[in-house]
Amino acid sequence: MKKTTLLFLAFMLFVFGSCNGNKRCSDELQVVNPIMPIHFTEGGMHVFLTDYLPALSGDEQIVLQTSDDYSASNYANLEFDLQGNNSLSTLTVAVNDAEWYDIPILPALPFATGLVTTGCTDEAVMFALPEGTPYHVDAYLNNELLDPDMLTLSEDGRTGALRLPDCPVGRSFIRLYAANNQQRLNDVLIPLKEGKVIIDAALLTVNDDQTQVLYSLMIDRFYNGNHDNDEPLNDPEVLPIVDYQGGDLAGITEKINSGFFDDLGITTIWVSPITQNPTDAWGCYKFKNGNKYDPTKSYTKFSGYHGYWPIYNNKVDHRFGTPDELRAMLDAAHAHNLHVVLDYVANHLHINSPVIQEHPDWITDSILPDGRRNFELWDEARLTTWFDTHIPSLNLERTEVCEAMTDTALYWLQNFPFDGFRHDACKHIPESYWRMLGHKIATRFPGRHIWMIGETYGSPELIGMYVKSGMLNAQFDFNEYYGVRESVIDTKFGMQELERIVNESMAAYGAHHTMGNISGNHDQVRIASLAGGAIGANEEQNGKEAGWTRNVGIGDASIAYRKALLQEVINFTIPGVPCVYQGDEYGEVGANDPDNRLMMRFDNLNEQEAAMRTEVQKLIRLRRSSMPLLYGDLTTEQLTDDEWVYSRTYMGQKVTVSINRKDLTFNIE
């Protein structure tokens, strides 16, 4: 493209960028929801456009325009360097001189809360800002920067109003961002229906991601609905606790149709991997102090009941059911207005997989250059390390491997009406894989609502690498989980540390993120047993040995359920998507794997378990009916070592939450 043409298009971007209504973003590039902002870093950064506009192929004519404070340089194909100072800004992307997208650029400034909505009319939204140096405020309709003239600030800069623009039919979103030269504030997210602000949660749908309540279940350990497919290994080297127990897809369907999920208030079911696993035993755990199941055994091997050792990545494990039973389960879920996300494993295949047999060069080296074994080096060799000797990691940095594994993931979307994925071991998979997967989803399934959440243990910076419009919608917020454990359950830190972690998450992922706030999972000790002291916080291997050697119960029941409930209160009232691991709703007990994977209990709960379940059910219903808890902005009202009082405010409606870890009490009003 000639330089004069570039200059002309840049000028036109500037002109049209200041006029609301003259440019509209089509759905052609599959940015149905607001594009996630660019988080600017000190000293400049490298930007991949497909992280924000996933359907770009590189064949388009693309022009970039930023404010005077930033410059986009070294532009080549779909990558460029972004340099400039720390102020709130916008990157405008023109595609084929026809589609225009505005992407917020958030400055590298300290994060603070205090931007809240105070009310609305059919014509405007009112908001308030904290004291301090006057703030610059930007407003967006979906992915379009609105004309600054639509914003009005009071003389003291503490209040403002946004005149609502003409909106497209259906669901739209207004976003507000604010910053001064000292800090940036939390973002505001406002859902609209037919151009009007939604103030009644009943107008939201399961496709509004912030409304989700996620339920995590392990298929084999949930419910046995079809005894004809029961096929334990019955291997003398495999203790029954780590053999197949009979849970299956038909069992999930039965519980869906019985109203189990409806009664609890769940919106989204996360099912463990369904792909074919080996029919023989693998792995080995050597007991240090014997085991409670069979004193004659000094070790056990394992079946693949959990689903994380795929032999075939495009075949339903026959012990879980058939493709028809899978479709029946999904149809039942959708009939009950439930979404289902599939746990998908891309990092590795079982060593006996025909794919590996045919392509032995597709795996990473199990020996490091210095001669060490490349096993369980989670951080040192995170993109190549093997999880175990029988599940070699795939070299997903090779294009042909990446192509094959992303296509296999899409097989499940193409052939079954899944609503998204839970992705396993994200940090052990290169970013190029997530870009390729995002591009394929955007181009092969245009207009389809697909929500993806990943699993990464690490810093917000590492986790956030994958949380972008063209990669993952969210990840599980393990830092928040451990923050609750260490401040409320273990009381290792004061409540100030938990508040810091929650603010850190909002700063990293947005104040209205859909990160998963977990009660536990299949890799953690049961929170009720930890809360009651039945298992120590620092037991070896995070409780694995304890689970093999003793019956881990509730401990001190007078505090266990109350502490576990405080965790749920926090998860359901802060930003993010609450995620209940099967059994946590009633305070199931246990140590770590496999003690945290006992068969789900639906009946015969004791009085305290039944009371816990009732309280969790109340929390779910409260959250789903409250606009402040779904879209409200969080502000800390009071904070001490033992108490955290915070509010969520939306359009002047306010919910105040008080958590007291000393008295083990809470209040929501």
Side-chain angles (χ1 to χ4, degrees), residues 142-175:
N142 296 335
N143 300 308
E144 179 179 0
L145 178 66
L146 295 176
D147 192 318
D149 289 343
M150 302 183 73
L151 283 161
T152 303
L153 292 176
S154 63
E155 189 173 339
D156 63 2
R158 295 294 309 283
T159 61
L162 170 68
R163 177 164 49 86
L164 289 173
D166 296 331
C167 296
V169 174
R171 176 71 77 251
S172 299
F173 293 92
I174 291 287
R175 289 183 288 168

PDB file of all heavy atoms in Angstrom, residues 142-175:
ATOM      1  N   ASN A 142     -20.359  -1.532  22.700  1.00  0.00           N
ATOM      2  CA  ASN A 142     -19.763  -2.754  22.160  1.00  0.00           C
ATOM      3  C   ASN A 142     -18.288  -2.498  21.851  1.00  0.00           C
ATOM      4  O   ASN A 142     -17.498  -2.291  22.758  1.00  0.00           O
ATOM      5  CB  ASN A 142     -20.534  -3.231  20.928  1.00  0.00           C
ATOM      6  CG  ASN A 142     -21.954  -3.629  21.281  1.00  0.00           C
ATOM      7  OD1 ASN A 142     -22.243  -3.989  22.425  1.00  0.00           O
ATOM      8  ND2 ASN A 142     -22.859  -3.562  20.321  1.00  0.00           N
ATOM      9  N   ASN A 143     -17.900  -2.431  20.588  1.00  0.00           N
ATOM     10  CA  ASN A 143     -16.492  -2.226  20.230  1.00  0.00           C
ATOM     11  C   ASN A 143     -16.297  -0.927  19.464  1.00  0.00           C
ATOM     12  O   ASN A 143     -15.506  -0.861  18.529  1.00  0.00           O
ATOM     13  CB  ASN A 143     -15.984  -3.428  19.430  1.00  0.00           C
ATOM     14  CG  ASN A 143     -16.085  -4.701  20.235  1.00  0.00           C
ATOM     15  OD1 ASN A 143     -15.613  -4.756  21.365  1.00  0.00           O
ATOM     16  ND2 ASN A 143     -16.728  -5.716  19.687  1.00  0.00           N
ATOM     17  N   GLU A 144     -17.030   0.105  19.901  1.00  0.00           N
ATOM     18  CA  GLU A 144     -16.942   1.406  19.259  1.00  0.00           C
ATOM     19  C   GLU A 144     -16.765   2.488  20.310  1.00  0.00           C
ATOM     20  O   GLU A 144     -17.566   2.610  21.243  1.00  0.00           O
ATOM     21  CB  GLU A 144     -18.207   1.681  18.446  1.00  0.00           C
ATOM     22  CG  GLU A 144     -18.205   3.037  17.764  1.00  0.00           C
ATOM     23  CD  GLU A 144     -19.479   3.251  16.958  1.00  0.00           C
ATOM     24  OE1 GLU A 144     -20.340   2.350  16.949  1.00  0.00           O
ATOM     25  OE2 GLU A 144     -19.594   4.320  16.345  1.00  0.00           O
ATOM     26  N   LEU A 145     -15.707   3.251  20.188  1.00  0.00           N
ATOM     27  CA  LEU A 145     -15.479   4.379  21.088  1.00  0.00           C
ATOM     28  C   LEU A 145     -16.516   5.458  20.804  1.00  0.00           C
ATOM     29  O   LEU A 145     -16.686   5.894  19.666  1.00  0.00           O
ATOM     30  CB  LEU A 145     -14.073   4.944  20.890  1.00  0.00           C
ATOM     31  CG  LEU A 145     -13.708   6.174  21.730  1.00  0.00           C
ATOM     32  CD1 LEU A 145     -13.666   5.824  23.216  1.00  0.00           C
ATOM     33  CD2 LEU A 145     -12.359   6.739  21.271  1.00  0.00           C
ATOM     34  N   LEU A 146     -17.220   5.891  21.836  1.00  0.00           N
ATOM     35  CA  LEU A 146     -18.267   6.890  21.657  1.00  0.00           C
ATOM     36  C   LEU A 146     -17.679   8.292  21.663  1.00  0.00           C
ATOM     37  O   LEU A 146     -16.620   8.556  22.244  1.00  0.00           O
ATOM     38  CB  LEU A 146     -19.313   6.756  22.766  1.00  0.00           C
ATOM     39  CG  LEU A 146     -20.102   5.443  22.761  1.00  0.00           C
ATOM     40  CD1 LEU A 146     -21.049   5.375  23.957  1.00  0.00           C
ATOM     41  CD2 LEU A 146     -20.878   5.271  21.459  1.00  0.00           C
ATOM     42  N   ASP A 147     -18.377   9.181  21.008  1.00  0.00           N
ATOM     43  CA  ASP A 147     -17.967  10.577  20.925  1.00  0.00           C
ATOM     44  C   ASP A 147     -17.850  11.158  22.337  1.00  0.00           C
ATOM     45  O   ASP A 147     -18.764  11.002  23.158  1.00  0.00           O
ATOM     46  CB  ASP A 147     -19.005  11.360  20.125  1.00  0.00           C
ATOM     47  CG  ASP A 147     -18.514  12.748  19.738  1.00  0.00           C
ATOM     48  OD1 ASP A 147     -17.895  13.410  20.584  1.00  0.00           O
ATOM     49  OD2 ASP A 147     -18.775  13.155  18.596  1.00  0.00           O
ATOM     50  N   PRO A 148     -16.730  11.813  22.669  1.00  0.00           N
ATOM     51  CA  PRO A 148     -16.585  12.417  24.002  1.00  0.00           C
ATOM     52  C   PRO A 148     -17.709  13.389  24.345  1.00  0.00           C
ATOM     53  O   PRO A 148     -18.000  13.594  25.531  1.00  0.00           O
ATOM     54  CB  PRO A 148     -15.230  13.141  23.917  1.00  0.00           C
ATOM     55  CG  PRO A 148     -14.490  12.434  22.838  1.00  0.00           C
ATOM     56  CD  PRO A 148     -15.517  11.994  21.851  1.00  0.00           C
ATOM     57  N   ASP A 149     -18.338  13.977  23.329  1.00  0.00           N
ATOM     58  CA  ASP A 149     -19.434  14.912  23.599  1.00  0.00           C
ATOM     59  C   ASP A 149     -20.636  14.222  24.234  1.00  0.00           C
ATOM     60  O   ASP A 149     -21.520  14.889  24.782  1.00  0.00           O
ATOM     61  CB  ASP A 149     -19.868  15.602  22.302  1.00  0.00           C
ATOM     62  CG  ASP A 149     -18.826  16.590  21.799  1.00  0.00           C
ATOM     63  OD1 ASP A 149     -17.950  16.966  22.604  1.00  0.00           O
ATOM     64  OD2 ASP A 149     -18.879  16.954  20.613  1.00  0.00           O
ATOM     65  N   MET A 150     -20.676  12.891  24.174  1.00  0.00           N
ATOM     66  CA  MET A 150     -21.789  12.175  24.798  1.00  0.00           C
ATOM     67  C   MET A 150     -21.595  12.032  26.304  1.00  0.00           C
ATOM     68  O   MET A 150     -22.508  11.605  27.021  1.00  0.00           O
ATOM     69  CB  MET A 150     -21.953  10.803  24.154  1.00  0.00           C
ATOM     70  CG  MET A 150     -22.199  10.874  22.648  1.00  0.00           C
ATOM     71  SD  MET A 150     -22.483   9.268  21.890  1.00  0.00           S
ATOM     72  CE  MET A 150     -24.126   8.908  22.481  1.00  0.00           C
ATOM     73  N   LEU A 151     -20.391  12.371  26.775  1.00  0.00           N
ATOM     74  CA  LEU A 151     -20.072  12.321  28.198  1.00  0.00           C
ATOM     75  C   LEU A 151     -20.098  13.719  28.791  1.00  0.00           C
ATOM     76  O   LEU A 151     -19.575  14.666  28.196  1.00  0.00           O
ATOM     77  CB  LEU A 151     -18.687  11.713  28.415  1.00  0.00           C
ATOM     78  CG  LEU A 151     -18.559  10.193  28.299  1.00  0.00           C
ATOM     79  CD1 LEU A 151     -17.100   9.812  28.080  1.00  0.00           C
ATOM     80  CD2 LEU A 151     -19.099   9.518  29.556  1.00  0.00           C
ATOM     81  N   THR A 152     -20.672  13.845  29.970  1.00  0.00           N
ATOM     82  CA  THR A 152     -20.693  15.114  30.690  1.00  0.00           C
ATOM     83  C   THR A 152     -20.194  14.875  32.108  1.00  0.00           C
ATOM     84  O   THR A 152     -20.697  13.986  32.802  1.00  0.00           O
ATOM     85  CB  THR A 152     -22.111  15.703  30.751  1.00  0.00           C
ATOM     86  OG1 THR A 152     -22.614  15.860  29.421  1.00  0.00           O
ATOM     87  CG2 THR A 152     -22.094  17.057  31.450  1.00  0.00           C
ATOM     88  N   LEU A 153     -19.192  15.639  32.531  1.00  0.00           N
ATOM     89  CA  LEU A 153     -18.666  15.542  33.891  1.00  0.00           C
ATOM     90  C   LEU A 153     -19.000  16.799  34.669  1.00  0.00           C
ATOM     91  O   LEU A 153     -19.028  17.904  34.110  1.00  0.00           O
ATOM     92  CB  LEU A 153     -17.152  15.338  33.873  1.00  0.00           C
ATOM     93  CG  LEU A 153     -16.625  14.005  33.323  1.00  0.00           C
ATOM     94  CD1 LEU A 153     -15.104  14.006  33.286  1.00  0.00           C
ATOM     95  CD2 LEU A 153     -17.134  12.836  34.158  1.00  0.00           C
ATOM     96  N   SER A 154     -19.251  16.630  35.968  1.00  0.00           N
ATOM     97  CA  SER A 154     -19.526  17.783  36.826  1.00  0.00           C
ATOM     98  C   SER A 154     -18.276  18.625  36.982  1.00  0.00           C
ATOM     99  O   SER A 154     -17.156  18.192  36.669  1.00  0.00           O
ATOM    100  CB  SER A 154     -20.018  17.324  38.193  1.00  0.00           C
ATOM    101  OG  SER A 154     -19.003  16.563  38.850  1.00  0.00           O
ATOM    102  N   GLU A 155     -18.438  19.824  37.495  1.00  0.00           N
ATOM    103  CA  GLU A 155     -17.309  20.754  37.625  1.00  0.00           C
ATOM    104  C   GLU A 155     -16.213  20.196  38.519  1.00  0.00           C
ATOM    105  O   GLU A 155     -15.027  20.401  38.263  1.00  0.00           O
ATOM    106  CB  GLU A 155     -17.813  22.092  38.179  1.00  0.00           C
ATOM    107  CG  GLU A 155     -16.761  23.193  38.138  1.00  0.00           C
ATOM    108  CD  GLU A 155     -17.328  24.546  38.518  1.00  0.00           C
ATOM    109  OE1 GLU A 155     -18.562  24.732  38.422  1.00  0.00           O
ATOM    110  OE2 GLU A 155     -16.536  25.412  38.915  1.00  0.00           O
ATOM    111  N   ASP A 156     -16.610  19.477  39.576  1.00  0.00           N
ATOM    112  CA  ASP A 156     -15.594  18.917  40.476  1.00  0.00           C
ATOM    113  C   ASP A 156     -15.087  17.553  40.014  1.00  0.00           C
ATOM    114  O   ASP A 156     -14.212  16.949  40.643  1.00  0.00           O
ATOM    115  CB  ASP A 156     -16.136  18.817  41.904  1.00  0.00           C
ATOM    116  CG  ASP A 156     -17.325  17.861  42.018  1.00  0.00           C
ATOM    117  OD1 ASP A 156     -17.709  17.257  41.002  1.00  0.00           O
ATOM    118  OD2 ASP A 156     -17.873  17.742  43.131  1.00  0.00           O
ATOM    119  N   GLY A 157     -15.622  17.038  38.903  1.00  0.00           N
ATOM    120  CA  GLY A 157     -15.155  15.777  38.340  1.00  0.00           C
ATOM    121  C   GLY A 157     -15.570  14.547  39.115  1.00  0.00           C
ATOM    122  O   GLY A 157     -15.097  13.449  38.837  1.00  0.00           O
ATOM    123  N   ARG A 158     -16.515  14.673  40.052  1.00  0.00           N
ATOM    124  CA  ARG A 158     -16.915  13.539  40.893  1.00  0.00           C
ATOM    125  C   ARG A 158     -18.123  12.784  40.351  1.00  0.00           C
ATOM    126  O   ARG A 158     -18.369  11.642  40.755  1.00  0.00           O
ATOM    127  CB  ARG A 158     -17.223  14.020  42.319  1.00  0.00           C
ATOM    128  CG  ARG A 158     -16.022  14.593  43.070  1.00  0.00           C
ATOM    129  CD  ARG A 158     -14.972  13.524  43.348  1.00  0.00           C
ATOM    130  NE  ARG A 158     -15.535  12.350  43.971  1.00  0.00           N
ATOM    131  CZ  ARG A 158     -15.878  12.271  45.269  1.00  0.00           C
ATOM    132  NH1 ARG A 158     -15.710  13.316  46.061  1.00  0.00           N
ATOM    133  NH2 ARG A 158     -16.372  11.147  45.762  1.00  0.00           N
ATOM    134  N   THR A 159     -18.878  13.398  39.471  1.00  0.00           N
ATOM    135  CA  THR A 159     -20.051  12.727  38.897  1.00  0.00           C
ATOM    136  C   THR A 159     -20.079  12.961  37.397  1.00  0.00           C
ATOM    137  O   THR A 159     -19.444  13.894  36.881  1.00  0.00           O
ATOM    138  CB  THR A 159     -21.365  13.235  39.521  1.00  0.00           C
ATOM    139  OG1 THR A 159     -21.490  14.638  39.267  1.00  0.00           O
ATOM    140  CG2 THR A 159     -21.390  12.977  41.024  1.00  0.00           C
ATOM    141  N   GLY A 160     -20.811  12.124  36.702  1.00  0.00           N
ATOM    142  CA  GLY A 160     -20.901  12.267  35.262  1.00  0.00           C
ATOM    143  C   GLY A 160     -22.124  11.572  34.709  1.00  0.00           C
ATOM    144  O   GLY A 160     -22.838  10.852  35.416  1.00  0.00           O
ATOM    145  N   ALA A 161     -22.362  11.797  33.438  1.00  0.00           N
ATOM    146  CA  ALA A 161     -23.479  11.169  32.752  1.00  0.00           C
ATOM    147  C   ALA A 161     -23.062  10.836  31.332  1.00  0.00           C
ATOM    148  O   ALA A 161     -22.295  11.569  30.702  1.00  0.00           O
ATOM    149  CB  ALA A 161     -24.701  12.080  32.746  1.00  0.00           C
ATOM    150  N   LEU A 162     -23.558   9.713  30.833  1.00  0.00           N
ATOM    151  CA  LEU A 162     -23.333   9.291  29.451  1.00  0.00           C
ATOM    152  C   LEU A 162     -24.672   9.235  28.750  1.00  0.00           C
ATOM    153  O   LEU A 162     -25.588   8.513  29.174  1.00  0.00           O
ATOM    154  CB  LEU A 162     -22.681   7.905  29.408  1.00  0.00           C
ATOM    155  CG  LEU A 162     -22.618   7.245  28.018  1.00  0.00           C
ATOM    156  CD1 LEU A 162     -21.670   7.997  27.102  1.00  0.00           C
ATOM    157  CD2 LEU A 162     -22.231   5.777  28.126  1.00  0.00           C
ATOM    158  N   ARG A 163     -24.806  10.003  27.691  1.00  0.00           N
ATOM    159  CA  ARG A 163     -26.009   9.939  26.875  1.00  0.00           C
ATOM    160  C   ARG A 163     -25.971   8.655  26.060  1.00  0.00           C
ATOM    161  O   ARG A 163     -24.993   8.367  25.358  1.00  0.00           O
ATOM    162  CB  ARG A 163     -26.073  11.164  25.959  1.00  0.00           C
ATOM    163  CG  ARG A 163     -27.259  11.168  24.996  1.00  0.00           C
ATOM    164  CD  ARG A 163     -27.475  12.567  24.410  1.00  0.00           C
ATOM    165  NE  ARG A 163     -26.241  13.138  23.888  1.00  0.00           N
ATOM    166  CZ  ARG A 163     -25.777  12.934  22.656  1.00  0.00           C
ATOM    167  NH1 ARG A 163     -26.454  12.163  21.826  1.00  0.00           N
ATOM    168  NH2 ARG A 163     -24.661  13.515  22.248  1.00  0.00           N
ATOM    169  N   LEU A 164     -27.016   7.854  26.179  1.00  0.00           N
ATOM    170  CA  LEU A 164     -27.040   6.561  25.506  1.00  0.00           C
ATOM    171  C   LEU A 164     -27.146   6.735  24.003  1.00  0.00           C
ATOM    172  O   LEU A 164     -27.971   7.516  23.518  1.00  0.00           O
ATOM    173  CB  LEU A 164     -28.205   5.719  26.017  1.00  0.00           C
ATOM    174  CG  LEU A 164     -28.063   5.196  27.458  1.00  0.00           C
ATOM    175  CD1 LEU A 164     -29.343   4.520  27.899  1.00  0.00           C
ATOM    176  CD2 LEU A 164     -26.889   4.241  27.567  1.00  0.00           C
ATOM    177  N   PRO A 165     -26.341   6.010  23.245  1.00  0.00           N
ATOM    178  CA  PRO A 165     -26.385   6.106  21.776  1.00  0.00           C
ATOM    179  C   PRO A 165     -27.472   5.217  21.202  1.00  0.00           C
ATOM    180  O   PRO A 165     -28.105   4.424  21.906  1.00  0.00           O
ATOM    181  CB  PRO A 165     -25.002   5.592  21.375  1.00  0.00           C
ATOM    182  CG  PRO A 165     -24.685   4.569  22.428  1.00  0.00           C
ATOM    183  CD  PRO A 165     -25.286   5.101  23.713  1.00  0.00           C
ATOM    184  N   ASP A 166     -27.687   5.351  19.921  1.00  0.00           N
ATOM    185  CA  ASP A 166     -28.529   4.394  19.222  1.00  0.00           C
ATOM    186  C   ASP A 166     -27.816   3.044  19.223  1.00  0.00           C
ATOM    187  O   ASP A 166     -26.619   2.958  18.933  1.00  0.00           O
ATOM    188  CB  ASP A 166     -28.774   4.839  17.785  1.00  0.00           C
ATOM    189  CG  ASP A 166     -29.561   6.139  17.718  1.00  0.00           C
ATOM    190  OD1 ASP A 166     -30.351   6.385  18.651  1.00  0.00           O
ATOM    191  OD2 ASP A 166     -29.372   6.889  16.746  1.00  0.00           O
ATOM    192  N   CYS A 167     -28.552   2.004  19.552  1.00  0.00           N
ATOM    193  CA  CYS A 167     -27.932   0.694  19.716  1.00  0.00           C
ATOM    194  C   CYS A 167     -28.500  -0.316  18.727  1.00  0.00           C
ATOM    195  O   CYS A 167     -29.656  -0.211  18.334  1.00  0.00           O
ATOM    196  CB  CYS A 167     -28.162   0.171  21.131  1.00  0.00           C
ATOM    197  SG  CYS A 167     -27.385   1.180  22.401  1.00  0.00           S
ATOM    198  N   PRO A 168     -27.698  -1.299  18.363  1.00  0.00           N
ATOM    199  CA  PRO A 168     -28.213  -2.366  17.516  1.00  0.00           C
ATOM    200  C   PRO A 168     -29.264  -3.182  18.254  1.00  0.00           C
ATOM    201  O   PRO A 168     -29.361  -3.161  19.473  1.00  0.00           O
ATOM    202  CB  PRO A 168     -26.970  -3.212  17.202  1.00  0.00           C
ATOM    203  CG  PRO A 168     -25.949  -2.814  18.199  1.00  0.00           C
ATOM    204  CD  PRO A 168     -26.272  -1.445  18.665  1.00  0.00           C
ATOM    205  N   VAL A 169     -30.066  -3.920  17.496  1.00  0.00           N
ATOM    206  CA  VAL A 169     -31.119  -4.748  18.074  1.00  0.00           C
ATOM    207  C   VAL A 169     -30.499  -5.875  18.892  1.00  0.00           C
ATOM    208  O   VAL A 169     -29.448  -6.403  18.547  1.00  0.00           O
ATOM    209  CB  VAL A 169     -32.017  -5.322  16.954  1.00  0.00           C
ATOM    210  CG1 VAL A 169     -33.030  -6.309  17.520  1.00  0.00           C
ATOM    211  CG2 VAL A 169     -32.712  -4.193  16.210  1.00  0.00           C
ATOM    212  N   GLY A 170     -31.158  -6.254  19.988  1.00  0.00           N
ATOM    213  CA  GLY A 170     -30.682  -7.357  20.804  1.00  0.00           C
ATOM    214  C   GLY A 170     -29.795  -6.880  21.932  1.00  0.00           C
ATOM    215  O   GLY A 170     -29.965  -5.792  22.476  1.00  0.00           O
ATOM    216  N   ARG A 171     -28.812  -7.730  22.286  1.00  0.00           N
ATOM    217  CA  ARG A 171     -27.931  -7.426  23.409  1.00  0.00           C
ATOM    218  C   ARG A 171     -26.779  -6.539  22.979  1.00  0.00           C
ATOM    219  O   ARG A 171     -26.107  -6.780  21.975  1.00  0.00           O
ATOM    220  CB  ARG A 171     -27.369  -8.717  24.007  1.00  0.00           C
ATOM    221  CG  ARG A 171     -26.354  -8.514  25.140  1.00  0.00           C
ATOM    222  CD  ARG A 171     -27.008  -7.998  26.428  1.00  0.00           C
ATOM    223  NE  ARG A 171     -27.700  -9.085  27.103  1.00  0.00           N
ATOM    224  CZ  ARG A 171     -29.018  -9.180  27.165  1.00  0.00           C
ATOM    225  NH1 ARG A 171     -29.782  -8.245  26.599  1.00  0.00           N
ATOM    226  NH2 ARG A 171     -29.588 -10.192  27.777  1.00  0.00           N
ATOM    227  N   SER A 172     -26.554  -5.478  23.728  1.00  0.00           N
ATOM    228  CA  SER A 172     -25.387  -4.607  23.540  1.00  0.00           C
ATOM    229  C   SER A 172     -24.771  -4.350  24.911  1.00  0.00           C
ATOM    230  O   SER A 172     -25.360  -4.674  25.952  1.00  0.00           O
ATOM    231  CB  SER A 172     -25.789  -3.269  22.910  1.00  0.00           C
ATOM    232  OG  SER A 172     -26.371  -3.446  21.646  1.00  0.00           O
ATOM    233  N   PHE A 173     -23.590  -3.756  24.902  1.00  0.00           N
ATOM    234  CA  PHE A 173     -22.911  -3.454  26.155  1.00  0.00           C
ATOM    235  C   PHE A 173     -22.308  -2.058  26.095  1.00  0.00           C
ATOM    236  O   PHE A 173     -21.725  -1.652  25.085  1.00  0.00           O
ATOM    237  CB  PHE A 173     -21.789  -4.463  26.429  1.00  0.00           C
ATOM    238  CG  PHE A 173     -22.272  -5.854  26.712  1.00  0.00           C
ATOM    239  CD1 PHE A 173     -22.395  -6.777  25.685  1.00  0.00           C
ATOM    240  CD2 PHE A 173     -22.615  -6.245  27.998  1.00  0.00           C
ATOM    241  CE1 PHE A 173     -22.843  -8.060  25.930  1.00  0.00           C
ATOM    242  CE2 PHE A 173     -23.069  -7.521  28.257  1.00  0.00           C
ATOM    243  CZ  PHE A 173     -23.183  -8.437  27.215  1.00  0.00           C
ATOM    244  N   ILE A 174     -22.462  -1.345  27.190  1.00  0.00           N
ATOM    245  CA  ILE A 174     -21.741  -0.087  27.405  1.00  0.00           C
ATOM    246  C   ILE A 174     -20.588  -0.373  28.352  1.00  0.00           C
ATOM    247  O   ILE A 174     -20.754  -1.083  29.352  1.00  0.00           O
ATOM    248  CB  ILE A 174     -22.659   0.994  28.017  1.00  0.00           C
ATOM    249  CG1 ILE A 174     -23.704   1.451  27.002  1.00  0.00           C
ATOM    250  CG2 ILE A 174     -21.859   2.181  28.541  1.00  0.00           C
ATOM    251  CD1 ILE A 174     -23.154   2.318  25.880  1.00  0.00           C
ATOM    252  N   ARG A 175     -19.427   0.180  28.021  1.00  0.00           N
ATOM    253  CA  ARG A 175     -18.277   0.071  28.925  1.00  0.00           C
ATOM    254  C   ARG A 175     -17.731   1.449  29.227  1.00  0.00           C
ATOM    255  O   ARG A 175     -17.685   2.320  28.344  1.00  0.00           O
ATOM    256  CB  ARG A 175     -17.172  -0.778  28.295  1.00  0.00           C
ATOM    257  CG  ARG A 175     -17.495  -2.243  28.194  1.00  0.00           C
ATOM    258  CD  ARG A 175     -16.321  -3.017  27.623  1.00  0.00           C
ATOM    259  NE  ARG A 175     -16.133  -2.755  26.198  1.00  0.00           N
ATOM    260  CZ  ARG A 175     -15.054  -3.118  25.501  1.00  0.00           C
ATOM    261  NH1 ARG A 175     -14.044  -3.712  26.118  1.00  0.00           N
ATOM    262  NH2 ARG A 175     -14.957  -2.868  24.211  1.00  0.00           N
TER     263      ARG A 175
END
